[in-house]
Amino acid sequence: MASATDIKKVSILGKDAIHCGFHLVPYIVRTVLDTLPSSTYALITDTTVANLHLPAFEAEFAANLAQRTTGAAPRFISYVVTPGETSKSREGKAEIEDFLLLNKCTRDTVILALGGGVIGDLAGFVAATFMRGVRFVQIPTTLLAMVDSSVGGKTAIDTPHGKNLIGAFWQPEYIFIDAAFLETLPAREFSNGMAEVVKTAAIWNEDDFASLESRSAEIFAAIQTPSTNYAGRSLATRSTAQDLLLSVISGSIHVKAHIVTIDERETGLRNLVNFGHTIGHAIEAVVTPTILHGECVSIGMILEAEIARQMGVLGQVGIGRLTRCLKAYNLPVSMSDPKITSLPAAKALTVDNLLDVMRVDKKNSGPQKKIVILSRIGATYEQKATDVADAVIAKVLSEAVKVVAGIPRNSPIHMATPGSKSLSNRALLLAALGKGTCRLRNLLHSDDTQVMMNALGDLKGAKFAWEDGGETLVVEGGAGSLSVPEKGKEVYLGNAGTAARFLTTVCTVVQSSQPAQERTVITGNARMKQRPIGPLVTALRANGSSIDYLESQGCLPLSVEPNGLKGGHIQLAASVSSQYVSSILLCAPYALKEVRLELIGGQVISQPYIDMTIAMMRTFGVEVVRERDPATGALLDVYTIPRTCYVNPSTYNIESDASSATYPLAIAAITGTECTIANIGFASLQGDARFAKEVLEPMGCEVIQTETETTVRGPPVGTLKALGLVDMEPMTDAFLTASVLAAVAIGTPKPGRQLVDGPANATRIIGIANQRVKECNRIQAMMDQLAKFGVETRELDDGLEIYGKPISELNEGSSIHCYDDHRVAMAFSVLGSIIKDTIIEEKRCVEKTWPNWWDDLVNKIGLDVEGVELETVESASPSGDNIAKNSASVVLIGMRGSGKSYIGKLAASALSWTFVDADPYFEVKHKIGVREFVQQNGWPAFRAAESDILKELLKQHPTKRVISLGGGIVETPDARTLLKDYAKKAPVVYIVREIDEVVKYLGEETARPAYGEPVVDVFKRREPWFTECSSHEFINYTGVLGGPSAGGIRKDVARFFGHVTGYKSNLAPNVTNGQRSYFLSLTYPDITPALPHIEELTAGVDAIELRVDLLRSPVDEQKFGQYIPPSAYVVEQIAALRQKTSLPIVYTIRTISQGGNFPDHFDAQAFELLHSALRIGVEYIDVEISWPSKHIQELLSLKGHSQVIASWHDWSGNLKWSGATVDEKYRSAAAIGDIVKIVGRANSLEDNFTLHNFVQAKSIPGSKPLLAINMGTEGQISRILNRTLSPVTHPLLPNKAAPGQLSFAQIQTALHLIGQLPPLRFFLFGNPIAHSMSPTLHNTAFNLLGLPHQYELLETENVGEEIKAAIASSDFGGASVTIPYKLDVIPLLDSLSPAAEVIGAVNTIIPVRTGDRAHTLRGDNTDWVGITESIRSRLPKNVDVPETALVIGAGGTARAAIFALQNLGAKKIYLFNRTSCKAEELVAAFPDANLEVISKLGSWSSQAPSVIVSTVPASATSFDPSRKDVLYLPSEIFANADGGVVVDMAYKPAETPLLQLAGKASKWAAVRGVDVLLEQGFVQFELWTGRRCPRSAVSDAVLKAYST
C-alpha cells in the first residue's frame, strides 16, 4: 500500500482540478479510476518519457484493475510517439486516432497525456476531436509543461506555416503536477521551464519575481538532489528544497489558473501570459528544434521589454532585473547568444523574416501585431496585449540603427545620464568588501556592472537584493571574506575591462585553510583575452601572489592561488592604465601587511581616476595617504593604505556618468541647441566632467556649470571652432566625442590654441595613448570610421589629429563599424545627428554603459532613430529573384574601333538599360554628321562641342544608361576632369582592344573623319588618358585563342557589367548564402594550354584561383632569378580565361615568404597588379594582411563590388588556433576583408579540432565568411570540413597549389562518409516518361561531381499519394515535372518563383531546407531559361536584341517561350495557333509583351522574325502544303535576310520538319528540343545542388543516349 500522499490543490474554472505533489503515480491512477469511470484508459507518451515512467503507470494500473471485481474490467492501453515537435502534426494526430479506432475505443475513453508540452498539446487535441470530444488528463513531466502548456485547455498541432495554428480549447479533467518527475529532467529542460515561471512573475507579482531573483541557486539545488524512498510524497518526508520547488511551481500555476478562470478563451486578460511569446515564437519558428521554447521566449521577453522601454513605458531598471533573472537560470537573453549564432538557421533571423512569421500570430487583429507591454516588474501597461506598429518592432529587432539627422525637438533638453560606470564598479566592490549593509542608488544597470555583481557572487563576497522596484541595490558586505568559486566554475567577465583589473587583485585577497584548495580562474571573451593585464600581474607576483597565465602572456585568463594579498611595499607600472592602481588601492586594506604602493615606469595615466578611487575609499572609512617630497612638498606617486576594514555607509548615491554625458552635450554643440545634464557639475569626482569647459567651450559653445549641473548651448550649425592642441589625458574616454566634433569644426581656434605646425582646421588630441588598449584600438577605430565621412586624420604617438571639413562636404550614408565598443557607437551617433543616413552597425554595444541610449535619443533628446537591417548579398536565382541593382549610368571610352558600340549595346541588353551613342546624339543636336562638322569647323570646335555633349549626357541620363563616347573625348582637359569626377561615383569603362585590330578596323571605317596622323601615334597619346579617366577596363581581345564566340562575348559582357554596376555581382552564390563553396587553384605558368579542359577542371567548384605569382610569360622562360609577370601578360591570361568560363576569379599574389613565388619587398609592383585586377572586374582579390596598411587601404577604397579575401598564412606549424595570435590575425583580417582566410599547418589530428572550435567561435551573426584550414596531410580533414571557398586541386593539374589539397570529388566523398552530405533522391514526375533523358543528365552529373544522390523516374497515373510521399520525405532533393502534371503539382507547393507565377506552370520543385531536414517546397520554371540560353548563345553577332520573334502554339510551353522572349528584349512577338481563341488568351496573360496574333504563318505586319520557337508536336507539322491534317510550315517564316535562331521544343525526332526547313534557309541556327532540355536541366541541377553542372560531359552522355 502506498504511503499517504499530501497534495496541494489549485483551482481553475471553479474546480480543484490541479493537484501538485511528489511521487504521485499511485495517487494519479487511483484518482482517475475512482472519479473518471471508463471502458478504456489510453495513455499517450513519447519514447523518452516511456523509458522513464511508463512501466510505473502500467504496473499501477494493472494492480488497481486487478482489484476491481465488479462489472466489466476497464482496459489500459498506451501509445508511444517519437519525441519532438515533428510529432505534433496532422500526421501525428492521425496516427493516434487510427490507434484508438483500431483498439475500438469509444466515447467514454479517457486519454492520459504523459509528457511535455508536445504530448499535452497533441493528445489534448486528439481528445477534443475524437468521437467529438472525450475526457482527458494532463500529466506533464517537464517544468515548461507543468507551469504553461498543461494549464488552460489550449490544445493544438503545428503546420509548416507556424506553431499551434490548428487546435481547440479543451479543458482537462485533471492536471497532475508531480514535481518528482523533474529529478530526471535535464538541467537545460529545467531552465527551459523556468522561462515561463519568470514570465509569470514578471507580469503579475513583483514579490514572486524578487524571490526568483534571489533564490536561483536554491531552486536549482532542489532538482539536483534525487529523493529516495518516495521522499516528499507526504509533508513529513518533504525537504525544505522540495517545499521551495513546489511553491515556485504551484505559485506560477496559480497565477495562470486565475487568469484562465477569468478569460478562458483568450479575449483579453489571458493575452498577458503571452509576454515574450510574440517575438519568441517567431524566433522559435526559425531555430526550432535546436533552441527550446523557453529559451526563445526568454529572448522574446527581453526584446518585448525593450519595445516597452522604447515606448517610454518601462524603465531600464526593469529590463536589467529581467535580464539578470533570466541569466541566473542559464537562459539566453539575446539573438547573439552563442547557442543561436552557431546555428546555420540563425542566418534566417532577419527582421523581415521574423515580422513575416509574426503576421500569423493568433493574438493579432488583422495586420496589427499585438505584444504584451511590461510597465514595471509585476505589472503590464494594459490588461491585454497592446497593438504595436511594425516599425517599432523592427527597430528593436534590427542589429543596426540610423539616427535621423535634424534639430533635437526637445531643446532645451533637461536629462540625467545613467550612473557612472567607473563609480558603479568601485561602489559595488567597496560595498561588497565592506562591513554592514549599504544601499547603492543610481547604480548603472549595464553589462559591466552585472559582470561585477556576478563575479562577486561567485567569490561569495557579498549578498545582493533590490529595493524600490530595482532602483536601489542593497549590498550586504562580506567584510573582506572571499572564497574560491565552486569546483570547475570560472569567473567570466565578458569584455568588462574594469571588472577584470579590479578582480585580479580581489582574487589574491581570497584565503583558504585547505592546502589543496582549487585556484580561482578569471576569464573573458576573445577581446578581453587580448587586453593587457601584465603590469598588474607582475606587481602582484613580485608581492608574493601566485598567478599563472593560462593562455597568452600578459592577458586573461588567469589562475590565482588563494593565499591572501601579502602587502608591504608594492611597485606598479602605471603608465598603461590607472585601473591597475585602483585595483591595488581598493584591495590594500585587506592585505596581510600595510601596503605602501609606489607607482613607477614614467608618467602615470589618468590621475583623476586614481583620485576618484581614493575619495570613494575615504567615504567607506579608509584614508589613503599620498606622500610628498620632503624637500619640495610636491606630491609623489607613493601611497600608504592602512590595514583595516571598510565600513559601509547606509546609503551611497552614485553620480551620473560624465563620459556618457559628453554625448548629449555634444549633440547640443553640433546642432546649435541647448542641453542640461543633472547630477554632474564641477564638484564631480570624474575627470570627464571637465569636457564641457575644456573642450566644448573652446569650440564656441556657451557653458554654464554649477556644482551639480552642466548646461551647454551650441553655436549656429556649422560654426564650431577647431581646438588646435588639446591634452585629454584627464578625460581620455571623452576623446571619441571630441573627435567627431572636430570632424566638422572649421572655425579658427581661439587665440593661443592654434597649432604652429598645422592648419587652422586641425584639432590635435594628445594624452590618450591608453585608448589603444580599450575595448578596441580606439584611436585607429576613429581614424578608420571618420575616413568613411571623407574626414582626414593623422595618427600620433599618444593621440591623433583631425582636420575639420564643412558639414556639407562630409559623405552621407556612411555605415559605421563599432568594434563592439559602446563609446564608438555613441560618438558616431552624435555625428549622425547632423550627417544624413549615418548607420551605426552594432547598436547593442551601448548596453555596456547606456543600454537605453537609442530610446533616450528619441524620448529625451528628440532625435528619431530608425532600425536598420544590414544588407546581405543574396544570390540571384535563374528566375530573376533577388538581384541587387545599382542604377548609375555607365560611360564607355576607348579608341574608335575598339568595339564601344557593340559592347555597349550588349551591356545595355544584359542590364535591361538603354544604350546611348554620343555620335548619333551629336548629329541630332547639330543636324550635321561628325565628319562634315570637322570638315567645316575644324577639330578644336568639334572637341569643344563634344565636351558639351558629355556634360549634357551625364546630366540628362544619370541612371540606367550605357553611354558610349567618341574616342577623342579624352583629348580635352575639361572632358578628362568630367570623366575623372564621374569615375569616382560610377563606372567609366575603358574598352581595350589590340591596337592592330583597331588599325585594321579604322582602315575600313568611313563614317568618322580621318585622324591626320598615324593611328598608333594617336593611341600612344590617348592611352594614358583612357587609363587616368576610367575606373574599369573591359578587355575586348579578339586575338586570344582565335577570339570569343558571339555567345561567349555576350556572357562575358553580361558578367562584367553586371558585376561592376552591382546589378548582378558575379560573386559565388554559395559563399553569400553560407553554403559550402570551393575554388580550383590553377598552378600553370601559362593557362592557355589548359583552357580546352577548363570545364572538366572546374567541375563542381564555385570560383577559379589564378595564382598570379606562378605565371610566367613564354617569352621570359629563359629568365632566371626573381620574376614579376608583366601586367599586360596577366591581363591577357584573364581575358583568355574569361572566354572559357564565367566563374568568379580569385586573384592571388603570394610572395616567397608567404609560400608563393612573387619576390619579397616588391610591394608597389604587387599592388599595381592588384589594382589592375580590380579594374578588369576580377571578383575576388586575395590580400595578405602582412602587406603595408597604406597600400591595403588604397586598394579597399577602389574595390567597388569586388570582394577582398583578407588572408594570413603561417607555414611554420607554430600557429595555435586557441591562442591570442590567431585571434589578432582574425580581427585584422575581418577589419579589411569581406572574407577572412587563415591558413596554418597541422602537426596532429587534434590541431584540426582546435581549428574547428575556432571557426565555431567566430561564426556569429554578421561575421565575415571564414576560410580556415590546415596545410599538410594531417590537415586534410580541415579542408573537408571548411565551408567557405575551400581550395581544391584536380588530377589534370601539373601540381597542387599547397600540400594536402584534395579534389572537389574527394571532398564530397569524404563529406558523405562522415555524415555531412546525406544522399538525396530526385525524381521526374510525369506520364509517359520511360524514355526521358533526365535521369541520364542528372545521374551523370552526380557521378562526375562525387555527389551521393540518385535521380529516378516516378511515373504515376495522377498527382496522388506516391508523389505526395516523395516530396514530403526528408531525403527529397528535388523533382522535375513534365506533362501532364505541370499545373497539377502547384497545390502541393508552398511558394512559386516569379517566373512560375507568370508562366502559370511548374517544371521544377525545389525543397527549401528549414532545419533538421525539414523543408518547404518552392516551384520554379526553368523551361524559359533553357529557351533563353539556347537563343542567346546562337544569336547572330550583329543582333543584340531580337526585333521580332514568332511563337507557334498556345499551350504551357508557349507561355514559357513568350516569357523567355520578353526577357530577351524582343520588341514584337508574333503568335500563331490553329485555335486563335487560345492565342488571344495568351495576349491577355502577357499584356506587356507586345504580342500580335497572326492568322497565317509567313504573313508579317512588320519585320520578319529573327527568332522562332515552336511548341507544338513535330508530328503535327509539315512543310508539305498538300497535307491538310497538320500545320503547314511555309518557307516564308525564314524570310529574315539577316538570319536568326529557330527552336523546336519537340523532343523527337531530332530533325523535325521545322528544323529541316531551317536547314535550307541561310544564316539560321537550329536548336533541338534535346538542346533546350539540356539547358533547362543544367539550371535545375544548380537550383537543387548549388553546383554548376559539368555541361560538356553531361551533354555528351545525354546526346549519346538520345541518339540510341
Side-chain angles (χ1 to χ4, degrees), residues 364-377:
N364 294 344
S365 299
Q368 198 74 16
K369 295 176 180 62
K370 290 183 178 292
I371 288 177
V372 177
I373 301 298
L374 209 61
S375 60
R376 61 175 176 81
I377 296 298

Side-chain angles (χ1 to χ4, degrees), residues 1317-1341:
L1317 182 61
L1320 299 175
R1321 298 177 70 195
F1322 297 81
F1323 300 94
L1324 172 62
F1325 301 149
N1327 190 338
I1329 53 176
H1331 299 292
S1332 170
M1333 292 293 104
S1334 292
T1336 303
L1337 189 160
H1338 293 293
N1339 287 327
T1340 300

Side-chain angles (χ1 to χ4, degrees), residues 56-90:
F57 278 91
E58 289 174 332
E60 202 64 39
F61 266 103
N64 277 269
L65 292 176
Q67 297 171 12
R68 309 248 163 177
T69 56
T70 60
R75 293 181 300 162
F76 173 76
I77 58 176
S78 60
Y79 187 79
V80 180
V81 304
T82 303
E85 285 281 340
T86 53
S87 291
K88 194 175 139 184
S89 61
R90 293 185 180 104

Side-chain angles (χ1 to χ4, degrees), residues 283-607:
I283 296 169
E284 188 177 4
V286 176
V287 297
T288 189
T290 311
I291 306 301
L292 304 178
H293 169 78
E295 293 169 336
C296 296
V297 168
S298 175
I299 297 169
M301 281 191 271
I302 298 301
L303 293 171
E304 292 181 15
E306 289 177 355
I307 289 174
R309 183 184 68 195
Q310 184 185 152
M311 295 167 60
V313 173
L314 179 67
Q316 177 55 31
V317 168
I319 296 178
R321 292 183 69 189
L322 187 59
T323 301
R324 282 190 296 276
C325 190
L326 292 167
K327 283 183 174 179
Y329 294 99
N330 299 325
L331 288 162
V333 293
S334 163
M335 286 192 288
S336 61
D337 188 281
K339 278 195 190 98
I340 293 173
T341 57
S342 61
L343 301 176
K347 294 181 185 297
L349 290 172
T350 62
V351 175
D352 287 345
N353 196 17
L354 292 174
L355 287 172
D356 192 51
V357 175
M358 287 181 223
R359 287 194 181 94
V360 292
D361 193 294
K362 298 178 293 300
K363 297 185 298 298
N364 294 344
S365 299
Q368 198 74 16
K369 295 176 180 62
K370 290 183 178 292
I371 288 177
V372 177
I373 301 298
L374 209 61
S375 60
R376 61 175 176 81
I377 296 298
T380 56
Y381 176 60
E382 297 184 274
Q383 290 291 292
K384 60 179 182 178
T386 300
D387 290 345
V388 180
D390 277 9
V392 175
I393 303 171
K395 183 173 161 186
V396 164
L397 294 176
S398 299
E399 59 187 307
V401 289
K402 177 174 68 178
V403 180
V404 179
I407 302 301
R409 56 182 170 270
N410 294 342
S411 178
I413 300 156
H414 290 267
M415 65 185 296
T417 64
S420 161
K421 182 180 73 141
S422 299
L423 292 171
S424 292
N425 276 313
R426 286 167 172 79
L428 271 172
L429 183 52
L430 286 164
L433 292 175
K435 182 179 180 181
T437 299
C438 180
R439 284 169 169 77
L440 299 179
R441 294 196 172 126
N442 199 35
L443 180 78
L444 173 67
H445 287 264
S446 74
D447 290 351
D448 270 26
T449 50
Q450 181 60 48
V451 162
M452 180 67 87
M453 287 173 61
N454 291 345
L456 291 169
D458 291 339
L459 294 167
K460 304 175 183 65
K463 294 180 180 178
F464 302 101
W466 294 95
E467 289 183 349
D468 308 325
E471 297 288 345
T472 300
L473 178 66
V474 182
V475 184
E476 186 181 329
S481 174
L482 300 161
S483 302
V484 175
E486 60 191 57
K487 188 172 183 180
K489 172 79 173 177
E490 294 182 345
V491 179
Y492 180 75
L493 306 178
N495 195 18
T498 306
R501 276 117 187 207
F502 287 5
L503 289 166
T504 296
T505 309
V506 168
C507 289
T508 67
V509 175
V510 177
Q511 296 187 55
S512 173
S513 57
Q514 302 175 21
Q517 179 75 32
E518 292 273 332
R519 294 167 70 100
T520 304
V521 174
I522 55 175
T523 187
N525 68 9
R527 173 58 184 163
M528 193 67 248
K529 291 181 179 182
Q530 297 158 351
R531 298 174 69 179
I533 198 80
L536 178 58
V537 172
T538 299
L540 294 171
R541 281 176 165 178
N543 189 241
S545 295
S546 173
I547 305 176
D548 296 335
Y549 294 114
L550 298 182
E551 291 182 15
S552 303
Q553 290 295 305
C555 302
L556 264 59
L558 304 175
S559 171
V560 186
E561 188 175 5
N563 276 336
L565 178 62
K566 301 299 184 289
H569 185 211
I570 300 176
Q571 289 187 319
L572 172 68
S575 60
V576 174
S577 175
S578 65
Q579 291 176 356
Y580 301 155
V581 183
S582 293
S583 178
I584 293 179
L585 286 172
L586 289 164
C587 296
Y590 297 95
L592 302 177
K593 293 190 293 186
E594 182 177 87
V595 171
R596 182 172 182 267
L597 176 61
E598 179 185 0
L599 307 184
I600 60 173
Q603 176 69 37
V604 174
I605 196 79
S606 302
Q607 183 67 43

